[in-house]
Amino acid sequence: MKASAFSYARATSVANALDLLAAHGDSAKVLSGGQSLMPAMNLRLINPELLVDIGDLAELRGIVLRGDVLRIGALTRHVDLLQSPEIAAHAPLLTEAIGHVAHPAIRNRGTIGGSLAHADPASELPACMLALKATIIVRGQPGERRIAAGDFFTGIYETALSPQELLVAVEVPVARKDSTHFFHEFARRHGDYAIVGAAAQAVVRDGVFADLRIAFFAVGDRPLLAKVAARLVDVAITPVILAEASAALGEELDPQEDQQASAAMRRHLAGVLLVRGVSALLGRPDLSGAPA
Amino acid sequence: MTMEAPIVLVPISLQVNGEPVEAQVLPRLNLADFLREHLSLTGTHVGCEHGVCGACTVRVNGDIVRSCLMLAVQTHRASVETIEGLSDSGEIADLQASFRQRNALQCGYCTPGMLMTAQDLLKQHPEAGREQIREHLSGNYCRCTGYQAIVDAVEATARTRMERPS
């Protein structure tokens, strides 16, 4: 199908975009890369009256390293993240995750800001933001708000962003020298929506986790930072401890049932990913057996 | 109170296959329909219209994109290349010959998108092997060939290009 009729405004600056959003509020949508918005409009799932195109706002583009923080502009495309030496050096989890996002033609248009503001519970970048302890920066006419990734995602396609605000950037702490990461997702075919996925960032000292953040996606109405990770920090991990954590993880999750998988299958696969993730992060192939 | 924004034609100015184009378009018009219906460039095919099938793949500013997921108004000041452009310039003559030789098409609906995507891969990774070819083409659906012959054709082109002194 084709999108129904709407009016269009090409924003000339962030201030101009905020004026348009202030005036048109709920009836407007922000157009960034359009790789989620356009399908939804073509399928007539949403019919905004006005699109505010922010595609020309160069100030929202690019990746800057400032001290121990990477600031990524909202309009930075997936392909830019994939090819960025700064991202590869300081947030390698993102480099790895992007390879799982859709297909090259989509990654050439899709943006990080668009992906986060869209907040599809099955998408990769929101979970990465949780694992990386990112801060999401949004701007409205009253000023800027800095929102921890953990507080940003509030439901299926729902975020803390108000209709009058624009997501302008994310800040990701630079990965510590002794940190390590893991990313994996199960999907029917490469580039399909994940059935279940996990993104993790950890600090390992002497074979023990000093820190572990593991975020799951496609397991509920929003990405979820697993609380069970706390049980795995500062302890010598055995297959038994890991199996218990994997079972406890199932209780934290509230997966949906859909055409791709039942809730029970998603719980099982999340447990498999926890085991594989911990095994990979610690470099302990002995832990990677099937969960008990 | 929100103000109603009027729906008006938007002037755009772009390059299509190297030629300057000026047009007035409605915001809802997507790039695929603009190319097909306004410019009669019907080599760009429209399959699913929600970014899944890849039949509408074109190049914008050198990057392959889904033309069903891009509005014509977003191509203002951009350079668009379609299958007609790549075909007429001879850029993909060898790839097209290889598709023909290996029966890498049957009904032909997916072929323009396949060629755009395969050429994108071969430009970025001339040495691409079968796995990489499959991955790069994974967003382009073909309902006839079973993909094997398409991968064969792209692989054969990659090999021939690598052997050719440049």
Side-chain angles (χ1 to χ4, degrees):
Chain A
M1 273 197 293
K2 324 274 183 200
S4 54
F6 52 85
S7 20
Y8 172 84
R10 192 179 288 131
T12 52
S13 64
V14 169
N16 175 231
L18 294 178
D19 286 345
L20 289 161
L21 292 176
H24 299 281
D26 287 318
S27 58
K29 280 296 248 181
V30 173
L31 174 61
S32 173
Q35 301 302 287
S36 300
L37 180 62
M38 289 315 302
M41 288 176 65
N42 288 354
L43 292 165
R44 306 262 175 129
L45 298 172
I46 52 167
N47 304 298
E49 282 172 27
L50 170 71
L51 284 194
V52 177
D53 184 355
I54 58 168
D56 279 355
L57 306 183
E59 60 199 286
L60 298 182
R61 236 174 260 288
I63 299 160
V64 183
L65 179 64
R66 279 186 205 149
D68 53 3
V69 170
L70 270 175
R71 186 180 165 104
I72 306 170
L75 282 184
T76 306
R77 300 174 304 160
H78 291 102
V79 65
D80 302 324
L81 294 172
L82 185 65
Q83 294 173 351
S84 158
E86 287 86 5
I87 297 288
H90 303 298
L93 172 65
L94 284 179
T95 310
E96 195 171 335
I98 291 294
H100 295 264
V101 178
H103 308 286
I106 305 281
R107 298 199 289 258
N108 282 339
R109 294 285 304 159
T111 65
I112 186 168
S115 172
L116 300 179
H118 182 59
D120 187 319
S123 71
E124 292 82 358
L125 293 181
C128 290
M129 294 301 111
L130 289 183
L132 293 173
K133 224 175 181 173
T135 303
I136 297 176
I137 298 163
V138 307
R139 210 175 291 163
Q141 283 189 323
E144 207 164 84
R145 291 199 293 147
R146 300 169 57 84
I147 307 169
D151 298 327
F152 186 74
F153 304 101
T154 55
I156 298 179
Y157 308 130
E158 284 178 1
T159 67
L161 196 62
S162 89
Q164 285 76 32
E165 285 175 321
L166 189 65
L167 194 165
V168 293
V170 299
E171 286 184 359
V172 176
V174 164
R176 299 162 47 123
K177 289 273 177 287
D178 54 357
S179 76
T180 166
H181 70 276
F182 170 81
F183 186 92
H184 193 73
E185 70 181 44
F186 294 116
R188 297 271 176 201
R189 292 165 303 195
H190 186 92
D192 275 10
Y193 279 105
I195 299 170
V196 174
Q201 181 87 1
V203 177
V204 179
R205 273 187 220 124
D206 304 323
V208 172
F209 284 120
D211 186 33
L212 172 64
R213 296 173 67 85
I214 180 160
F216 289 86
F217 53 100
V219 292
D221 68 352
R222 69 196 83 174
L224 181 127
L225 194 64
K227 294 192 187 79
V228 291
R231 297 183 180 204
L232 303 173
V233 173
D234 286 334
V235 292
I237 293 179
T238 63
V240 173
I241 291 175
L242 192 51
E244 282 169 5
S246 175
L249 173 68
E251 288 162 30
E252 276 187 60
L253 308 178
D254 182 18
Q256 317 266 322
E257 171 155 3
D258 62 18
Q259 288 170 311
Q260 292 213 81
S262 65
M265 178 173 161
R266 287 203 156 89
R267 281 203 175 87
H268 169 77
L269 292 176
V272 171
L273 283 180
L274 178 68
V275 170
R276 286 192 194 171
V278 167
S279 164
L281 289 164
L282 293 175
R284 297 253 317 261
D286 61 298
L287 292 173
S288 67
Chain B
M1 227 8 224
T2 62
M3 295 182 296
E4 193 115 333
I7 297 173
V8 291
L9 287 167
V10 179
I12 55 171
S13 153
L14 64 154
Q15 289 236 324
V16 179
N17 297 327
E19 304 273 335
V21 171
E22 309 271 336
Q24 303 263 342
V25 295
L26 282 172
R28 70 187 287 246
L29 183 72
N30 70 40
L31 175 59
D33 289 341
F34 175 65
L35 293 169
R36 291 176 56 83
E37 287 164 27
H38 291 232
L39 305 183
S40 300
L41 294 169
T42 53
T44 298
H45 290 170
V46 175
C48 70
E49 293 194 313
H50 62 281
V52 174
C53 78
C56 68
T57 306
V58 300
R59 267 192 214 153
V60 174
N61 296 334
D63 294 330
I64 55 166
V65 305
R66 305 279 205 235
S67 58
C68 75
L69 296 189
M70 192 163 177
L71 298 169
V73 289
Q74 290 178 283
T75 62
H76 183 51
R77 290 194 234 119
S79 162
V80 177
E81 293 165 279
T82 69
I83 189 65
E84 289 88 349
L86 268 66
S87 193
D88 291 351
S89 72
E91 180 185 333
I92 55 166
D94 55 347
L95 187 60
Q96 288 167 308
S98 184
F99 265 58
R100 201 162 49 237
Q101 224 163 43
R102 289 165 188 272
N103 276 327
L105 66 154
Q106 192 175 316
C107 84
Y109 205 85
C110 72
T111 312
M114 284 288 179
L115 291 167
M116 297 294 301
T117 308
Q119 175 65 2
D120 180 62
L121 171 68
L122 295 179
K123 275 175 73 176
Q124 293 180 48
H125 301 282
E127 73 301 335
R130 293 184 77 82
E131 266 317 296
Q132 220 176 342
I133 293 168
R134 280 189 184 281
E135 187 175 324
H136 210 79
L137 294 177
S138 64
N140 290 68
Y141 286 5
C142 172
R143 298 280 99 129
C144 302
T145 64
Y147 302 101
Q148 206 67 25
I150 295 175
V151 178
D152 290 347
V154 178
E155 187 188 28
T157 307
R159 283 218 193 109
T160 317
R161 286 189 189 177
M162 287 293 282
E163 283 159 17
R164 199 172 52 199
S166 52

